[in-house]
Amino acid sequence: MTDLLSQSAAQLRALFRTGAAGPVDLLEATLERIAAVNPTINAIAYLDEDRARAAAQAAARRWSAGAPLSDMDGMAVTVKDSINCVGMPWRHGSAAHADLPDATVDSPPAARLKEAGAVIVGKTTMPDFGMMAAGVSSLYGIVRNPWDPERNTGGSSAGAGAALAAGIGVAAVGTDIAGSVRLPAGHCGVVALKPTQGRIPHLPASTMRSAGPMARTVSDAIDMYRVLSLPDARDAWSLAPESDDRMDRPLTPRGMRIGILTDLGPGFALHPRVEAVVRSAAAVLADGGAEVTDVPAPFDDDPYPALDRVFQVRGRAEWEGIAPDRRHLVIPAVADWAAGAAELSATDYARDLAAVDVSQARFAAALAGFDMVVAPVIPTPGFAADEVGLDPSRPLAHCGYTAWFNQTAQPASSLCFGFVDGCPVGIQIAGRRCADQEVLRLTRWLEERRPFPMPTPPVTLAAGGTR
C-alpha cells in the first residue's frame, strides 16, 4: 500500500474517493508511527484511540457513500494540550494540573474539527502554562526535535511541531501568544500560521493569543485554516466569516512592497547564518518582481521588559489558581520567573500594558508601508533540547521577532527556508491585519520556490517513513 503518511491531504482525498485507502487505514498508520517515534520525541500527551477509531470508521462510511463532510473528513489530526476536547484531559503542560477532570466541552477548534469529520487522534505536549518558548514540561518532560533529538523543538506548541515533522497527523492545532505555533514550526521544519486575532475562534477569548493551523505543507495548513476559521459566538472577538476564498488562486509578489526585518534594535542579535536564510528568501521574492527593502529597526529602547512583566502576571495568575499543596509541581523555570509578578501592583500592570501599547504602535508604524514583511522566527539556529530558552531567567525572552505580531494582531506564517547544522531554519511572512489568505498564498509561492526539496527528518527515516 502507498505510504499514507507521506501523502498530502489532497492525495489522501484522491485515495479515499477511489477506495484505494481510507480513513481507518490512515489512522492505523498514524498509530503505528506514534508507537515507533514517540518514545524518542515525546510529542504525544494523550492518545484517544477509541474515539479516533469511531471517527475514522464514520468518515470511511461517508467517503464510501460519496458524501464527505469536508476536505478534512477522515484526516488524522492532533490538538494541543491547551485545547479542550470532550473526554480528553486538559493539563496545560503542568504536573500541577494532573488531577483535573477531563474536558466536558469542546473548544471552538475541536468543535470545528469534529464538525468537519476530522479524526482527532489525541493531544500534543507543551511546557507549563504555555509560558515557555521551548519543549520542556514538568508533566511531559523534554520534547525532542525529529531532526536531532538533542535539539529543542521550541514552544509552546512543542509536541505539535515535533509530531508533524515525524509524520504524525496530516495537520495539528497549536496556540500562539508570543510565537507558539511559529517557533516550533521554525525549529521543526513545518508550516504554521498565527492568524489575525479573532480569525480563528478560541476560548477564553483573547486579543493576544490565537489558535493556529500547523502542517507539513502550506496546502495542508490551508485545508485546516478553512475549517478552523469558521466563526464561533462563544469567542467575543470572533470575526465574521471571510467574504470569499482566494487561497486556490495563484499569487505573485510582482509589484508588492516587501520589508525585510532583520534588526529589532535592542535584544538578541541575529545570527549571521539565520540572516543568510532570511536574505535567501528576500532574493527569491525580488526575483519574483517584488520591491524588497530593509526595515529600519523599530525600537531604540528595549520594549521587552514591559511585555515580559505582562506575561509574568499571566503566569503568576495561573500559579496562584493552583491548590497551594500542588504549586511546587510547576516547573521552576516558569514558577520562579512568574514570581516576580507578586511584587507588582495593579498600577504597575496598567503602566506596563500602556507601555506595550506604545511599543505595538511603534512596531506597526515601522511596518505600515509594506504589503508583507519577511523576518526570522528566532534569532539563532536553535538551542539544546533541555534548555528553556536563550535566557534561562526569562523563558520567552527570545521571542521578539514573533511576539510583536501578536500585539499588532497581524497574521504571520512560518516556513522552513534553510538548514544550519542539519536542522531547519524558519522564516516568517507577515501581512496586514485580516490579510490571512494573502499571507498563506505568498507562503505557498515561496514554498514552491524553495531552493531545495524538503528532506525527511532522521527520526522519521528510522521509523521507515518517507517524504
Side-chain angles (χ1 to χ4, degrees):
M1 181 181 285
T2 302
D3 177 12
L4 297 180
L5 302 187
S6 68
Q7 305 297 297
S8 69
Q11 291 169 323
L12 289 169
R13 286 192 289 272
L15 294 172
F16 292 176
R17 286 190 192 99
T18 64
V24 175
D25 301 312
L26 177 61
L27 173 62
E28 294 303 327
T30 301
L31 294 173
E32 289 175 9
R33 178 62 56 83
I34 291 170
V37 304
N38 201 57
T40 299
I41 63 174
N42 192 28
I44 302 299
Y46 179 81
L47 269 180
D48 197 20
E49 290 190 42
D50 290 344
R51 286 188 184 84
R53 285 200 169 93
Q57 290 162 1
R61 290 192 292 271
R62 290 190 292 270
W63 278 103
S64 180
L69 294 174
S70 76
D71 281 350
M72 290 298 294
D73 201 351
M75 300 297 167
V77 300
T78 62
V79 299
K80 188 178 178 180
D81 177 29
S82 60
I83 294 171
N84 274 314
C85 196
V86 170
M88 296 191 203
W90 180 98
R91 300 292 182 254
H92 218 204
S94 182
H97 291 314
D99 62 336
L100 295 180
D102 291 348
T104 57
V105 175
D106 285 326
S107 67
R112 298 296 87 75
L113 288 170
K114 290 180 180 180
E115 291 162 4
V119 177
I120 302 176
V121 179
K123 287 191 152 193
T124 52
T125 50
M126 62 179 286
D128 293 56
F129 305 177
M131 289 282 100
M132 190 190 300
V136 184
S137 160
S138 64
L139 180 59
Y140 303 121
I142 298 171
V143 189
R144 296 185 179 274
N145 195 318
W147 296 92
D148 179 353
E150 297 306 311
R151 292 286 289 273
N152 212 285
T153 58
S156 63
S157 305
L164 286 168
I168 297 170
V170 173
V173 185
T175 60
D176 190 311
I177 194 171
S180 291
V181 298
R182 291 160 288 161
L183 292 157
H187 282 273
C188 297
V190 299
V191 174
L193 175 74
K194 192 287 294 180
T196 299
Q197 266 63 33
R199 176 51 62 208
I200 293 178
H202 190 32
L203 294 174
S206 172
T207 57
M208 183 163 47
R209 187 209 64 248
S210 292
M214 303 174 67
R216 281 182 291 278
T217 68
V218 179
S219 291
D220 289 352
I222 286 172
D223 285 345
M224 181 70 106
Y225 172 84
R226 284 178 167 132
V227 169
L228 298 180
S229 61
L230 297 174
D232 192 305
R234 294 175 294 168
D235 182 342
W237 300 110
S238 177
L239 296 173
E242 292 171 301
S243 58
D244 65 342
D245 185 332
R246 306 174 297 280
M247 289 179 286
D248 288 335
R249 302 178 198 170
L251 176 144
T252 173
R254 184 168 301 281
M256 284 188 182
R257 292 200 65 217
I258 295 181
I260 307 301
L261 179 63
T262 58
D263 183 7
L264 292 173
F268 293 100
L270 187 61
H271 192 286
R273 296 179 76 180
V274 175
E275 181 171 356
V277 173
V278 176
R279 297 286 177 191
S280 70
V284 172
L285 289 162
D287 288 345
E291 178 187 341
V292 177
T293 309
D294 278 11
V295 179
F299 303 116
D300 298 320
D301 301 318
D302 191 354
Y304 181 73
L307 182 59
D308 190 61
R309 288 190 294 269
V310 170
F311 290 146
Q312 279 182 300
V313 170
R314 186 184 182 95
R316 181 69 178 192
E318 184 166 345
W319 182 89
E320 290 186 0
I322 296 168
D325 64 345
R326 298 188 66 83
R327 290 174 180 169
H328 70 282
L329 296 173
V330 178
I331 198 166
V334 171
D336 294 349
W337 161 75
E343 305 302 319
L344 299 175
S345 68
T347 304
D348 293 328
Y349 183 59
R351 189 178 295 115
D352 282 332
L353 288 174
V356 169
D357 285 344
V358 170
S359 297
Q360 175 267 334
R362 288 197 64 176
F363 189 74
L367 308 183
F370 300 101
D371 300 305
M372 297 277 180
V373 174
V374 176
V377 175
I378 58 171
T380 69
F383 48 92
D386 60 352
E387 293 179 351
V388 301
L390 300 182
D391 181 347
S393 67
R394 300 186 301 169
L396 297 173
H398 63 277
C399 301
Y401 283 103
T402 52
W404 291 107
F405 290 115
N406 295 77
Q407 299 305 315
T408 60
Q410 293 175 251
S413 68
S414 180
L415 175 72
C416 175
F417 216 77
F419 284 80
V420 172
D421 298 330
C423 286
V425 174
I427 61 168
Q428 280 187 101
I429 301 96
R432 292 171 175 157
R433 189 170 176 272
C434 296
D436 302 71
Q437 293 194 26
E438 281 64 42
V439 166
L440 286 165
R441 293 167 71 199
L442 185 62
T443 306
R444 180 162 56 191
W445 186 92
L446 272 171
E447 178 187 53
E448 291 169 350
R449 289 155 182 81
R450 190 161 44 192
F452 53 86
M454 194 66 188
T456 300
V459 164
T460 311
L461 285 173
T466 59
R467 184 179 299 169

